[in-house]
Amino acid sequence: MKQEFPKGEIKSIQGRSFVIKGDDIDTDRIIPARFLKCVSFSALGDQVFADDRKELKGNHPFDLDQNKGANILIVNDNFGCGSSREHAPQALMRWGIRLIIGESFAEIFFGNCLAIGIPCLTSSKQEIIRLQSLVNENPNQVWHLNLKELSIANHKEKLKLNLEEGAYKMLYSGKWDATSQLLDEEERIKKTMKNLPYLNNFK
Amino acid sequence: MSSGTLYDKVWNIHRVKELPGGSTQLFVGLHLIHEVTSPQAFSAIHEKNLGVKFPNLTVATVDHIVPTSNQQRPFSDPLAEEMLSTLEKNCKYHGIKFHGIGSNSQGVVHVMAPELGLTQPGMTVACGDSHTSTHGAFGAIAFGIGTSQVRDVLASQSLAMKKLKVRRIWVDGSLQKGVYAKDLILHIIRHLGVKGGVGFAYEFAGPAIEKLSMEGRMTICNMAIEGGARCGYINPDETTFNYLERKEYSPNGQEWEKAIAWWKSLASDSEAKFDDEIKLDGSSIEPTVTWGITPGQGISIKEKIPNPELLPHNEQQIARDACKYMNLEPDEPIEGTSIDVCFIGSCTNGRLSDLQEASKIVKGHRVATGIRAFVVPGSQKVAQEAKQKGIDKIFLKAGFEWREPGCSMCLAMNPDKLEGREISASSSNRNFKGRQGSANGRTLLMSPAMVAAAAINGKVTDVRKLLED
Ligand code: SF4
C-alpha cells in the first residue's frame, strides 16, 4: 500500500522499522549520481541505495520482504553526509520512509528531510544500538513515534529521542514547508536589500 | 557565541527576520543554479503559481551532465539533453542569465562564478550544491542548499537557516615545495574528521592561508563541506582585491574604491570571539593522499595504510570497510600503489593554476603505458587561458586527453566513468564508494600535481621526487 506524502502537522508516526547499519553513509550511496539525471523526483523510490542493493543481490534491507511497507529507518552516525542532493531524502520518502532515527545526521541532509516533512531524530550511540537490536529481534513489531514526548515505543519498551527545538516546532505546527512563511515578509526582504552595499552601488 | 567575525557581520546584514522555531530568514545575495538541482524547484514554483522574485540575482550554468568530448547539441544522451533544455527553458521564461555551452563563460558553477567576478566579499551565496562553500574564499558566506530551498530562494530570495558556530582554523608557517592547498585541506579533514565541522562555519586564517592564491583558497573552502562544515571562509585581503579587479561583474570606477573600503571592514576583528579555535603548523604538512572511502581517510605520502585494529575505536569499522573495498593492505605504503586512471579537474582543482602546476610535472614525460589520463578544465575561460599558455599542448604531448569543461569524472553523470574495479588518482573531492561512475570503482584523492606524477609513473608517487629533476 502506498502511503501519502507528508502533509501538515506531524505529531506522531507509526509503523514497522528496519536498520541500515554503518557510519558516514553518504548521499551518493543513498542515490547514486546516475539517477540524478531526471527533471522530476517521481521515479527515485525504486532507485534508493541502488548500488548497495545490486551488490547484495536481494539481501539488502530495502529488498527484504519483511521490510516491505515499513516506514521507519534506523541508522548510525553522520547519516546523509556528502552531496546536498535532495534526491536522497526524496528517494527514501518515495520508497516509503517517513521517519529516520540515528546517532547523528549531516546538516544539509537533515534540512532537506525537514523541508519535505521527514523528521530525523537522534539518540546516543548506546540507545541507537539498543533500538537497532530491538528492531532486528522482531521486524514485524509496530513502533510509535510520539513527537511531543520525543519518544519511540513498541508494546513494552520506550526510548527517549532528541530533536532540536526549531525543527520540532516546524514539524509539530505543520510549518516545515517554509515558502509561504518566507513570502509573507516581502517588505522586510526589500528593506534588507536596500541596506546591502553590493546591491546599492556600494553607497 | 561568536562575535565580531566576518561570519557574524555578513550574517547580521542579511537577516530579514527571526522565524518562530529559532531559525532566521536570511537574504540571499547571489543564487547560483545548475541543471541537476533546479528543475524540481522550478516545477514547484510553477505548481504554486509563484514567480522568481529577483531574477537578476540568480545566475545559471550547466556543468554536471555535459559531455566533455562531443558537446554538439542535441547531446547523445537524451536525459542529459532534457536536463539542459529544461534549464534553458526555465531561465528564458523567468529572465535568468544563463551561461550555456558556447557562451565562453560556461563551466563548473564554482569555477565560473568566481572568475566572472560574480562572487564578492560580504555576499551570501547559495546554490543547490554542497561545494558552494568554495565561494567563501572571497569572504562571502556561501553554503549548499537542497532543492526545496532552491525553490524558496527563487520565490523569495531568502531562506530559513540556523546560525552556525564559528571555528577558526589557524595555519602557521608556509607550505613546502610540492605541497599544495589540496594537501592542506586533506590534512585538516583527516585531523578534524568528516563530521568535525557539523554545526560550524570554518574560518581559515593564519600565515599559511594568507600566502595562498585565490585559487588555492578556493580549494580549501571547497572542501570545508567534506569536513562537515557547511561553509568555510577566508577574510578578504589584497590577494582577494587583486583577483577581483577588472573582472566582468566586479565593481568598477568610483565604486571600486568604495567596495574595497567596505570589504576591508568585513574581515574578522582582531578581538573577534570564536566558538572554537584550532592551530596547525602548515610547514610540517606533506603531500597527502586518501586511501579509503571518505575524504577523512587521508595519509601523508610517507605513511602506511593504517591498520584498522590500531585506530581509535570509532574509526575501526569504516577503516575495515575501506581496506576491503579499496583492496589495500594495512601496513603497506601508499606510495607505489598502482593506478589505472588519472583525472585532473573539478571545482576543487580544475582552475588555471592547478593545470599549470600539473603541467610542470608532466612536461617532458609520457603517461605510463596502460594508464588512461585526462584533463578537464573547470570552465571555458580556464580552457582558453590554458590554451593561450600552451598548457594543453604539454598534456597532449605527454599522452593526456584534453577535454571540454564540465564536472566530468568528479561524479560521472556524463560519459566519463571508471570501469569495474579501476582505481583512479583524482584531483576531485570525494572518494565515496561508486562516486566515479562504477559501483565498485576506487578513488584516491590528491593534488593535481600528485595526479600528474601518478600518471607518469603509473603509481602513487611523491611529486617532490619529480620536482627535483
Ligand atoms: S566538480 Fe564535482 S563536486 Fe564540483 S560541482 Fe561538479 S560534481 Fe560537484
Side-chain angles (χ1 to χ4, degrees):
Chain A
M1 186 190 71
K2 277 275 173 225
Q3 312 173 55
E4 271 193 41
F5 292 156
K7 225 174 41 206
E9 299 163 5
I10 296 173
K11 298 186 168 168
S12 67
I13 292 171
Q14 52 181 307
R16 285 180 293 117
S17 94
F18 65 98
V19 174
I20 291 285
K21 229 180 151 36
D23 294 342
D24 305 316
I25 291 183
D26 56 76
T27 52
D28 272 84
R29 276 174 73 190
I30 301 174
I31 186 84
R34 61 181 181 282
F35 299 117
L36 309 190
K37 271 196 233 162
C38 56
V39 291
S40 128
F41 288 133
S42 55
L44 294 176
D46 296 336
Q47 296 153 349
V48 71
F49 281 104
D51 288 342
D52 287 15
R53 286 162 77 178
K54 199 167 146 204
E55 197 182 313
L56 292 180
K57 303 188 178 74
N59 289 318
H60 190 275
F62 275 92
D63 287 321
L64 297 179
D65 277 340
Q66 66 187 39
N67 295 335
K68 288 232 168 78
N71 58 0
I72 304 171
L73 193 60
I74 320 289
V75 299
N76 291 98
D77 202 24
N78 199 27
F79 188 76
C81 58
S83 150
S84 64
R85 59 188 71 159
E86 190 171 307
H87 304 67
Q90 286 279 355
L92 291 165
M93 180 184 83
R94 281 162 202 272
W95 187 91
I97 299 299
R98 294 292 176 271
L99 164 66
I100 314 179
I101 298 173
E103 292 166 46
S104 76
F105 296 92
E107 221 162 279
I108 300 180
F109 179 84
F110 179 93
N112 285 344
C113 284
L114 183 62
I116 58 174
I118 308 284
C120 295
L121 284 84
T122 59
S123 192
S124 67
K125 189 175 197 74
Q126 282 145 323
E127 283 293 276
I128 292 295
I129 290 174
R130 187 161 83 92
L131 179 58
Q132 291 184 332
S133 57
L134 287 170
V135 165
N136 285 335
E137 268 165 32
N138 176 9
N140 281 321
Q141 63 193 315
V142 173
W143 292 88
H144 299 260
L145 170 84
N146 182 328
L147 195 76
K148 186 151 204 174
E149 268 190 8
L150 291 181
S151 70
I152 186 154
N154 64 6
H155 59 289
K156 60 173 196 247
E157 305 256 3
K158 186 188 266 188
L159 290 90
K160 290 296 283 175
L161 301 171
N162 308 308
L163 180 64
E164 52 142 290
E165 204 188 333
Y168 168 81
K169 283 189 182 152
M170 287 164 82
L171 290 162
Y172 199 81
S173 63
K175 289 199 171 141
W176 44 270
D177 180 354
T179 323
S180 56
Q181 248 189 91
L182 298 173
L183 280 170
D184 283 346
E185 300 302 332
E186 175 132 20
E187 284 315 308
R188 285 186 195 233
I189 292 172
K190 291 203 172 125
K191 207 174 129 218
T192 308
M193 255 179 108
K194 277 215 187 77
N195 289 323
L196 289 172
Y198 64 87
L199 295 180
N200 297 280
N201 311 95
F202 293 92
K203 273 206 232 39
Chain B
M1 230 189 13
S2 64
S3 64
T5 70
L6 178 138
Y7 181 83
D8 289 281
K9 296 181 200 180
V10 177
W11 177 272
N12 286 340
I13 56 170
H14 289 86
R15 264 169 37 202
V16 174
K17 192 190 172 188
E18 297 307 320
L19 297 169
S23 50
T24 301
Q25 180 170 0
L26 197 70
F27 183 83
V28 174
L30 174 63
H31 183 212
L32 302 167
I33 58 173
H34 59 73
E35 75 284 13
V36 180
T37 52
S38 70
Q40 298 87 353
F42 280 110
S43 307
I45 60 167
H46 298 155
E47 268 165 33
K48 293 189 183 202
N49 256 330
L50 297 167
V52 174
K53 174 114 329 192
F54 299 108
N56 57 329
L57 299 183
T58 292
V59 176
T61 192
V62 58
D63 48 11
H64 286 67
I65 51 90
V66 296
T68 57
S69 30
N70 179 0
Q71 297 193 330
Q72 210 57 37
R73 298 285 298 278
F75 293 157
S76 58
D77 175 353
L79 285 173
E81 177 61 32
E82 185 189 2
M83 292 179 86
L84 171 52
S85 55
T86 304
L87 181 60
E88 284 170 333
K89 264 186 246 148
N90 283 325
C91 287
K92 195 155 176 218
Y93 181 78
H94 292 284
I96 292 167
K97 170 84 184 161
F98 177 55
H99 298 267
I101 306 276
S103 65
N104 278 332
S105 50
Q106 171 266 342
V108 181
V109 62
H110 312 307
V111 177
M112 56 72 75
E115 72 191 3
L116 289 172
L118 285 163
T119 306
Q120 294 168 19
M123 288 180 163
T124 44
V125 183
C127 173
D129 192 288
S130 57
H131 293 99
T132 308
S133 57
T134 312
H135 306 263
F138 290 81
I141 298 188
F143 46 84
I145 56 180
T147 296
S148 296
Q149 287 178 311
V150 174
R151 171 201 66 195
D152 292 346
V153 179
L154 289 171
S156 74
Q157 205 59 38
S158 68
L159 44 70
M161 210 181 179
K162 279 214 123 151
K163 195 172 175 209
L164 298 165
K165 290 183 281 185
V166 186
R167 170 180 292 146
R168 182 167 68 176
I169 301 177
W170 183 272
V171 191
D172 274 319
S174 45
L175 301 181
Q176 295 171 38
K177 195 170 173 206
V179 179
Y180 305 88
K182 181 64 158 289
D183 301 297
L184 171 54
I185 189 65
L186 286 173
H187 178 86
I188 291 173
I189 299 167
R190 170 192 185 178
H191 287 285
L192 299 183
V194 288
K195 60 162 205 160
V198 173
F200 283 95
Y202 279 174
E203 173 173 317
F204 299 100
I209 299 288
E210 284 162 25
K211 282 174 211 153
L212 293 174
S213 69
M214 278 321 291
E215 300 198 340
R217 294 178 185 191
M218 284 190 253
T219 302
I220 300 282
C221 292
N222 173 276
M223 288 191 72
I225 184 65
E226 305 309 329
R230 194 168 180 182
C231 65
Y233 69 85
I234 293 170
N235 289 309
D237 60 8
E238 292 304 323
T239 306
T240 324
F241 311 145
N242 289 338
Y243 178 97
L244 281 172
E245 202 168 1
R246 284 190 284 276
K247 289 275 188 284
E248 198 171 329
Y249 288 88
S250 292
N252 52 28
Q254 288 186 339
E255 279 178 25
W256 176 250
E257 291 304 323
K258 286 192 234 163
I260 289 194
W262 183 59
W263 292 343
K264 281 186 175 160
S265 74
L266 295 169
S268 294
D269 300 335
S270 52
E271 64 275 23
K273 281 202 186 62
F274 297 90
D275 297 283
D276 190 33
E277 288 185 68
I278 279 169
K279 263 194 180 190
L280 296 168
D281 175 21
S283 316
S284 62
I285 295 171
E286 303 204 72
T288 301
V289 181
T290 64
W291 58 273
I293 52 172
T294 81
Q297 289 173 319
I299 50 177
S300 97
I301 185 73
K302 291 276 158 258
E303 284 177 273
K304 300 194 161 129
I305 315 270
N307 185 334
E309 310 314 317
L310 303 179
L311 289 174
H313 194 73
N314 59 343
E315 293 174 24
Q316 289 182 358
Q317 189 49 47
I318 186 115
R320 277 185 217 117
D321 200 14
C323 283
K324 187 166 159 238
Y325 182 83
M326 297 299 290
N327 196 25
L328 292 174
E329 286 296 320
D331 298 322
E332 288 292 316
I334 188 78
E335 191 172 4
T337 306
S338 298
I339 47 131
D340 306 304
V341 176
C342 288
F343 170 63
I344 296 178
S346 89
C347 61
T348 312
N349 282 127
R351 300 189 177 81
L352 187 66
S353 61
D354 298 316
L355 308 193
Q356 224 161 1
E357 288 301 320
S359 73
K360 286 185 200 159
I361 311 297
V362 166
K363 197 165 187 172
H365 294 277
R366 288 284 310 167
V367 171
T369 4
I371 306 281
R372 191 148 64 91
F374 58 114
V375 181
V376 183
S379 70
Q380 294 179 341
K381 285 209 188 318
V382 171
Q384 278 158 16
E385 284 174 39
K387 279 185 189 158
Q388 277 161 16
K389 292 184 188 296
I391 292 174
D392 59 329
K393 296 258 162 37
I394 298 176
F395 281 111
L396 286 165
K397 201 167 159 207
F400 275 80
E401 290 177 52
W402 179 267
R403 298 287 188 81
E404 301 293 335
C407 292
S408 179
M409 215 174 70
C410 175
L411 95 166
M413 269 185 83
N414 74 343
D416 309 333
K417 295 180 199 310
L418 290 183
E419 279 161 30
R421 287 290 277 157
E422 277 184 337
I423 185 163
S424 76
S426 179
S427 74
S428 54
N429 44 48
R430 285 186 175 144
N431 51 346
F432 299 151
K433 289 179 176 176
R435 169 77 176 182
Q436 293 190 295
S438 159
N440 48 8
R442 298 169 290 165
T443 304
L444 306 174
L445 302 177
M446 58 190 83
S447 71
M450 285 282 284
V451 175
I456 285 152
N457 286 346
K459 56 191 183 198
V460 176
T461 301
D462 189 339
V463 66
R464 292 173 297 190
K465 290 181 181 161
L466 288 164
L467 281 170
E468 278 159 19
D469 298 352

